Every structure is written in C-alpha cells, then in structure tokens.
Amino acid sequence: MAVSILCHDISDLCIGKPAVSSLPLSAPVSDAVSALRRSPSQSLLITSDKPSPEKKAVTIAGSICLVDLVCFLCSEGKRLDDCAGSLETSVSVLLQKGRVRRVEPHSSVLEALDAILDGGATKLVIPLRPRASIRKKHSTESFCLLTQEDLVRHFLASISVLSPIVSLSVASLDLIQHEFPSVQSRCSATSALSLLNHHKTPVAVITDSGHLIGELSGPIISSLDSTAVTAAASDIATFSVDEFVDWIERIGRKSARSVPEVVVCQPGSSLVAVMVQALAHRVDHVWVVDAKDDCKVVGIVTFNEVLRVFRDQLTAVEEIVEF
C-alpha cells in the first residue's frame, strides 16, 4: 500500500485544479498585476515567448506570485516615486531560477517529491491532458500548478498507511528548524520583505525577548489584492513591520479576504496534528513555541521537511518490499 502511494501518477493530484494563467517574458509588470488579481491559483507561469500556431511546446521560464510582486515594488533602495516606472518593467525582473519544475503527467509521486526535495522546486508544473474532443482545437499546452500543500494533502488522505510515523512528535522526527529569519515589529517592512524574498521561508515577528507576535509569509501576502498592493507600494515602503501587518489586516477586512492566522505548536506535538493545523489554515508551515513558554518561538516546521520525512519513510518501505 505504501508503495502504491508513491507510484500514483502525479496527474491524479491535478483532478479539479484549474489551468494556471501565463504571461510572456516580455510582458510588463502591470500585466502581472492584473493577471494575478484574476488568477485562481495565485500564481502565474512565465513563458519564454509566445508560441506560434505551429509550435505546440511551451518553454517555461518560471513562475511568479504576489510575494514576488510585493518584494519588487517595495524593495529597499527603490525610489518612492518610481512605482509607475517599475510597472512598465519586464516581468523577467520578478523571476527567480529553480522555483518551478516541469513534471510529466505520467510521473510518479516519488518523482514529484524528488523534483521538490532534490531539485529545489517549490511548485510543480504539470501539463494538463486535453480531452480528445478538444485536443485538435488548441495548438498550445495548458498547465496546472501543484504545491507542497497538494502533496501533503495527498499523504494525509492515506494517513493509515503512514502510521506510526505520523503519531510521533515533530521534535523526535527532527522536523524543527531552529534557525529562521526574524525581525522586530519596529523594523522596516522593506527589511522584512527582503528577508522573506531571500530565505523563501516565513519571517517571524518577535519581541526583544523572542516572543512571537506575528509573521510575514507567502500565504499572508497572497491574501492581498494585487491592485491594492500596487496602489499602496509607496506607503508600504515607509511602514514598520507592525504597521504593515496592521495594513494587511485592514485590507483583508475591507475586501472580505481571509488573512491566514499565525499557527503554532509545541515540540511534543504530533506530526499529524501539525499537518492538520497547517492545512486547516491554508499555510505551509507551523511555528514551534517553547513548551514552558507558549509565546517564545524556538523554531519552525515547514511542509518541505514534512515531505522529506514521508519520502524517506516510504522509500525505505519500498526497498524492503522489493528485497
């Protein structure tokens, strides 16, 4: 049974997921602002160029999300009156190499895990298989994006196969990363965004004594509206972290968008409890707080490390079965 989980076609996880929108590499950032607002996946694929009618294959240059846009528009050193000029820049300035990896629909879940854990990808691009009735009408491919969250949900659906490992604590499984980026609330929002952009992991907002009072993360920023961010880019560049977090919450209330909560656990929390917490709040991480001081942050558990544990566990079972 464990072997079958890894051998599923990755296309099985794409069922019901919408095709992701795309933009050519030459498109301006302003086009990305509009496209991100409409995108159900909160991400965009960037293609190297517009394929001709004769060319079916699409060359994927990378992907961008709202975090990339915010970090670019509000980056340190950018002139506050230069937002209009920034919007006319090519979306190529937003791309970061290695973020996405194309995986064919017939690839196994194990191959998908390898692309993330060994290849360094954070998202997988899966070509969608067109229905036979419309296959001839379209000259280009369409794709969906799979995230680490999709893979974690896949494993949670087969939780009985993964026992007893899921009942073990995150501490005993060595899942806690004790080094993580952090800022204090009085620091500038641009410095926090720079950390988020550089480390690609959530940034803890802490007090002088190390107590967790908030965070800046991909899921939180993705809850914003791209046009609201663009309109307020000059203001955001002057905000402190505390002011930026308050602004995010105000914008969320005005637009009726749900801003993810900061999710915490303790070192003794079970892996399955942490998975359920994160998935319920639509985040890809959980902060770990001290068992004796439930506000002092001591580390973070990310989906990347959760998936690594599953791959190691299941491939070990697979090797035993083959032997």
Side-chain angles (χ1 to χ4, degrees):
M1 180 66 176
V3 176
S4 67
I5 295 176
L6 291 175
C7 292
H8 282 170
D9 283 357
I10 195 63
S11 60
D12 294 342
L13 278 65
C14 298
I15 297 174
K17 292 186 72 69
V20 63
S21 302
S22 63
L23 288 175
L25 198 57
S26 57
V29 171
S30 57
D31 284 0
V33 173
S34 300
L36 281 169
R37 188 179 189 188
R38 300 189 303 267
S39 174
S41 64
Q42 299 179 329
S43 296
L44 298 174
L45 283 183
I46 305 301
T47 57
S48 60
D49 52 25
K50 293 183 179 179
S52 64
E54 296 79 19
K55 183 180 178 182
K56 294 186 178 181
V58 175
T59 302
I60 299 169
S63 75
I64 60 174
C65 61
L66 191 56
V67 176
D68 302 314
L69 179 67
V70 173
C71 290
F72 170 67
L73 293 178
C74 307
S75 61
E76 291 180 294
K78 189 179 291 295
R79 288 170 47 201
L80 298 184
D81 60 352
D82 195 34
C83 184
S86 298
L87 291 175
E88 297 308 311
T89 308
S90 164
V91 293
S92 60
V93 300
L94 304 179
L95 290 181
Q96 298 183 23
K97 295 181 178 180
R99 293 272 296 277
V100 296
R101 180 71 61 86
R102 175 171 173 150
V103 176
E104 297 305 316
H106 58 268
S107 300
S108 68
V109 172
L110 177 58
E111 291 171 317
L113 282 174
D114 287 342
I116 289 177
L117 299 176
D118 295 334
T122 57
K123 296 176 183 177
L124 301 177
V125 181
I126 316 296
L128 292 175
R129 292 168 171 166
R131 299 192 303 272
S133 60
I134 63 172
R135 190 171 296 156
K136 296 182 179 180
K137 297 181 181 180
H138 295 273
S139 58
T140 60
E141 296 174 292
S142 59
F143 303 88
C144 78
L145 280 178
L146 287 184
T147 65
Q148 294 176 347
E149 178 184 336
D150 295 312
L151 287 165
V152 171
R153 286 187 184 279
H154 172 69
F155 286 117
L156 186 62
S158 304
I159 201 71
S160 60
V161 181
L162 299 168
S163 59
I165 188 173
V166 292
S167 62
L168 299 178
S169 71
V170 291
S172 65
L173 290 169
D174 198 26
L175 283 173
I176 304 173
Q177 299 176 50
H178 295 284
E179 294 185 2
F180 51 88
S182 63
V183 294
Q184 295 181 343
S185 61
R186 61 179 176 271
C187 293
S188 68
T190 53
S191 63
L193 288 170
S194 295
L195 284 174
L196 178 63
N197 193 41
H198 176 71
H199 291 279
K200 302 298 179 292
T201 56
V203 177
V205 182
I206 59 174
T207 63
D208 292 341
S209 57
H211 288 79
L212 184 69
I213 56 176
E215 71 173 25
L216 281 183
S217 64
I220 284 180
I221 291 180
S222 294
S223 68
L224 295 171
D225 180 275
S226 59
T227 54
V229 171
T230 305
S234 296
D235 292 330
I236 294 172
T238 67
F239 285 165
S240 67
V241 172
D242 194 34
E243 290 170 334
F244 186 37
V245 171
D246 286 343
W247 180 82
I248 291 174
E249 293 176 350
R250 290 197 308 269
I251 292 297
R253 286 195 295 268
K254 288 180 180 178
S255 62
R257 289 173 178 251
S258 176
V259 179
E261 297 178 11
V262 177
V263 185
V264 301
C265 70
Q266 293 185 350
S269 300
S270 67
L271 173 55
V272 66
V274 169
M275 289 169 62
V276 170
Q277 273 185 289
L279 291 173
H281 289 85
R282 300 303 304 270
V283 294
D284 56 7
H285 62 279
V286 174
W287 295 103
V288 184
V289 294
D290 191 289
K292 296 181 180 179
D293 184 347
D294 61 7
C295 287
K296 188 170 185 177
V297 61
V298 296
I300 187 173
V301 174
T302 66
F303 276 172
N304 191 75
E305 295 307 307
V306 171
L307 291 174
R308 191 179 300 279
V309 165
F310 286 154
R311 185 188 64 174
D312 293 345
Q313 176 75 8
L314 293 173
T315 50
V317 172
E318 184 179 45
E319 290 171 0
I320 294 174
V321 171
E322 290 178 349
F323 179 78

